[in-house]
Amino acid sequence: MSDMIPVRTQEQYVRDVAEIMAIRARGAAPKALVHTYGCQQNVADSEKIKGLLEQMGFSFTEKEEEADLILFNTCAVREHAEDRVFGNVGALKNVKRRHPSLIIALCGCMTEQEHIAEKLRVSFPFVNLVFGTHVIHKLPELLFSTLTDGHRVFARGDDSEDRRIVEGLPVHRDGDIRAWLTVMYGCNNFCSYCIVPYVRGRERSRAPEAILSEFKGLVAAGYRDITLLGQNVNSYGKTLENPVSFAALLRMLDEVPGDYRIRFMTSHPKDATRELIDTIAGGTHISHHLHLPFQSGSDRVLREMNRGYTSAQYLALVDYAKRKIPDLSLTSDVIVGFPGETYPEFQDTVSLIRQVEFTSLFTFLYSPRVGTRAAKMPDPVPAEEKSKWFRELCAAQEEIAARRCAAMVGTVQRVLVEECREKTGLLTGRTDGNVIVDFHGNPDSVGAFADIKITSARNWILAGEQITK
Ligand code: SF4
């Protein structure tokens, strides 16, 4: 007789977890609280996690006391975000004391780092399950082990997982107007400050057919604003057997008939091509919005960051884009206080934002990440001084954003209506350039596009009146 243990399938794990959880929840549907930290990629991952949980019979709650499973999908981009996660996990100890069968799970970028996994192992013994970004698809198996093996489960991807893309996972989408669609995973760039290539692995692109099929499904389901996601979408397709450029993928998706917008993020300036700009300019559904992180206006700092472009190259690309797409809305990410940055170098950043006139900026104070090259660089500028620079940059950007918004007063903008606020009855939506507009109008317009006459501007938020019902 063979003593081989039969391999369980994903379906069996799903079924078994559903049965065990139903018993633990005494016949009621078990409830999960999934909290997401960080970027849109994490939001998209959480939607897959929720899809898998739903398959296993879970419904969702926002209340810790009601939950049978609490899962934090974490972010590793800044130290502050990690500290917040540790604080919030620590607070769960009391919830678990009151509800001993509660399962506490952590996943995401933080947990892919060995020193974090170790800290969770040693200092947070009440955490049951820790898993990395590469093994999300194995959640049913990991939960099954957590529930049956009687010990804590720690799982991170190995080299083979690093190269895999698992298609066909169920997705529980949080909204029904805007959707996230991942086109690629990982990053090959190794910017010297960034932890992403270490925690999300090398670039892997989904097959264009798989993306097209998911995209068509979203359009057919009525999603109006679809954002294509990747750490560096402009590298899309380079590693496919039959390479496809990101611009070509955009053109393919843009041909799908329907009333919707396509956005994408993030674009790395060194890989953003004129072909991409021309594609946006010639598209039917592609938003005239480009998120193009420049990070610093100083060439020396850009070199130290390993960004692969100069400020002049960045400005030349922006200049081309503005000529081709006059109503283009540009947004960006900036790091203030990179190790060794001087005040004159910081001023180069301020000067660049004044030249480009971004619609909005995501500004970050540099945060050292263990394992990155920048974390070992001398960093002589005190934190208070960096904070002063940070405030200076924000003030400059506020002035630019207010001016740009004021220039839109009197224009008519096509706005995707996202919500009717209960308290005020005001509707809110986004322009093609991703600027928020509050307006009086028809609540039945939620989920549709409407033409809004812009009547006033408050810093970076617009106010208006609906002129199409
Ligand atoms: S391009 Fe640079 S900043 Fe962006 S994810 Fe890759 S390494 Fe990080």
Side-chain angles (χ1 to χ4, degrees):
M1 223 172 82
S2 160
D3 56 0
M4 268 176 58
I5 302 169
V7 178
R8 300 168 81 87
T9 62
Q10 176 93 340
E11 290 72 27
Q12 280 169 322
Y13 284 123
V14 166
R15 221 174 27 241
D16 291 348
V17 171
E19 275 173 23
I20 299 168
M21 288 308 302
I23 293 166
R24 287 165 66 118
R26 298 198 174 84
K31 289 199 167 79
L33 187 162
V34 177
H35 188 77
T36 310
Y37 298 80
C39 67
Q40 268 75 24
Q41 185 59 59
N42 256 19
V43 173
D45 284 352
S46 285
E47 290 185 338
K48 290 195 188 93
I49 288 168
K50 282 180 155 182
L52 287 164
L53 289 171
E54 200 163 49
Q55 268 191 344
M56 291 182 271
F58 283 86
S59 62
F60 300 101
T61 179
E62 294 299 313
K63 295 184 187 147
E64 289 174 354
E65 296 297 334
E66 275 184 10
D68 300 285
L69 164 75
I70 297 181
L71 186 147
F72 287 170
N73 188 6
T74 64
C75 169
V77 170
R78 275 177 298 283
E79 197 178 356
H80 175 67
E82 290 190 344
D83 290 344
R84 210 149 50 91
V85 170
F86 281 127
N88 292 346
V89 178
L92 292 180
K93 193 173 177 181
N94 287 331
V95 185
K96 183 125 179 173
R97 210 172 273 141
R98 292 192 292 276
H99 184 169
S101 63
L102 170 69
I103 300 162
I104 300 177
L106 259 81
C107 64
C109 293
M110 255 175 94
T111 61
E112 281 286 350
Q113 303 168 89
E114 186 52 52
H115 70 284
I116 298 280
E118 195 48 31
K119 182 164 172 174
L120 289 167
R121 209 186 298 271
V122 174
S123 308
F124 296 85
F126 51 93
V127 172
N128 306 90
L129 168 61
V130 176
F131 61 102
T133 55
H134 297 91
V135 290
I136 285 174
H137 58 286
K138 289 188 172 169
L139 180 59
E141 180 182 342
L142 299 172
L143 258 184
F144 180 79
S145 298
T146 308
L147 290 164
T148 57
D149 288 358
H151 53 73
R152 306 166 72 202
V153 174
F154 285 75
R156 286 163 62 208
D158 57 27
D159 283 353
S160 61
E161 302 287 358
D162 207 38
R163 288 190 289 274
R164 264 184 88 185
I165 290 184
V166 179
E167 292 290 355
L169 291 181
V171 181
H172 173 101
R173 295 192 190 271
D174 289 330
D176 48 15
I177 300 172
R178 303 175 71 203
W180 314 110
L181 197 169
T182 304
V183 299
M184 63 181 298
Y185 299 87
C187 183
N188 288 354
N189 286 318
F190 289 92
C191 299
S192 62
Y193 53 85
C194 184
I195 194 73
V196 166
Y198 304 94
V199 295
R200 287 202 175 260
R202 298 298 80 71
E203 288 171 0
R204 288 97 71 207
S205 296
R206 292 179 68 192
E209 305 75 39
I211 296 169
L212 182 62
S213 153
E214 186 173 345
F215 187 85
K216 282 181 176 166
L218 290 171
V219 173
Y223 284 93
R224 303 278 189 210
D225 188 311
I226 302 170
T227 303
L228 311 180
L229 292 179
Q231 304 299 340
N232 175 15
V233 289
N234 297 323
S235 280
Y236 171 79
K238 289 182 181 165
T239 53
L240 289 171
E241 217 174 283
N242 300 310
V244 179
S245 72
F246 181 62
L249 176 74
L250 269 180
R251 288 193 291 272
M252 190 188 302
L253 301 179
D254 189 35
E255 275 173 20
V256 174
D259 195 13
Y260 63 86
R261 277 178 185 151
I262 309 177
R263 301 185 192 277
F264 54 87
M265 64 192 301
T266 295
S267 275
H268 194 305
K270 91 174 156 52
D271 300 312
T273 57
R274 291 191 170 203
E275 184 200 3
L276 174 74
I277 307 291
D278 295 345
T279 300
I280 301 172
T284 306
H285 303 94
I286 308 170
S287 282
H288 287 184
H289 169 210
L290 184 58
H291 184 67
L292 196 63
F294 73 93
Q295 307 298 8
S296 169
S298 151
D299 288 343
R300 190 199 67 82
V301 174
L302 285 172
R303 253 192 328 275
E304 288 300 307
M305 288 177 164
N306 192 31
R307 290 292 288 175
Y309 54 86
T310 62
S311 59
Q313 285 165 335
Y314 184 89
L315 288 169
L317 185 68
V318 164
D319 185 55
Y320 180 78
K322 282 183 173 176
R323 274 190 284 119
K324 280 282 179 168
I325 314 164
D327 63 342
L328 183 68
S329 169
L330 279 153
T331 57
S332 195
D333 298 340
V334 190
I335 294 174
V336 176
F338 184 80
E341 185 179 37
T342 63
Y343 187 66
E345 286 169 341
F346 162 73
Q347 283 299 321
D348 290 340
T349 295
V350 179
S351 148
L352 191 143
I353 71 159
R354 290 198 195 282
Q355 284 184 70
V356 177
E357 298 229 301
F358 293 100
T359 304
S360 60
L361 272 189
F362 296 90
T363 39
F364 304 99
L365 264 175
Y366 169 74
S367 174
R369 306 289 52 223
V370 174
T372 61
R373 201 155 57 75
K376 297 186 197 105
M377 294 178 184
D379 192 4
V381 177
E384 312 82 68
E385 182 65 11
K386 291 185 181 183
S387 297
K388 225 163 76 190
W389 301 357
F390 184 81
R391 287 194 296 275
E392 188 181 329
L393 183 71
C394 291
Q397 176 55 30
E398 272 174 31
E399 194 190 299
I400 294 164
R403 199 166 49 241
R404 284 187 61 88
C405 281
M408 290 169 86
V409 173
T411 63
V412 173
Q413 299 287 325
R414 190 165 185 258
V415 166
L416 174 58
V417 189
E418 290 176 21
E419 187 189 351
C420 178
R421 296 219 178 97
E422 237 176 69
K423 273 196 187 151
T424 57
L426 271 181
L427 296 167
T428 186
R430 261 164 232 266
T431 66
D432 191 57
N434 214 28
V435 181
I436 294 174
V437 188
D438 288 338
F439 57 97
H440 294 284
N442 179 2
D444 292 343
S445 318
V446 172
F449 289 100
D451 287 339
I452 308 295
K453 172 122 190 220
I454 305 302
T455 52
S456 63
R458 222 176 347 108
N459 296 330
W460 52 89
I461 296 182
L462 302 170
E465 296 289 340
Q466 187 167 349
I467 59 174
T468 55
K469 300 290 168 191

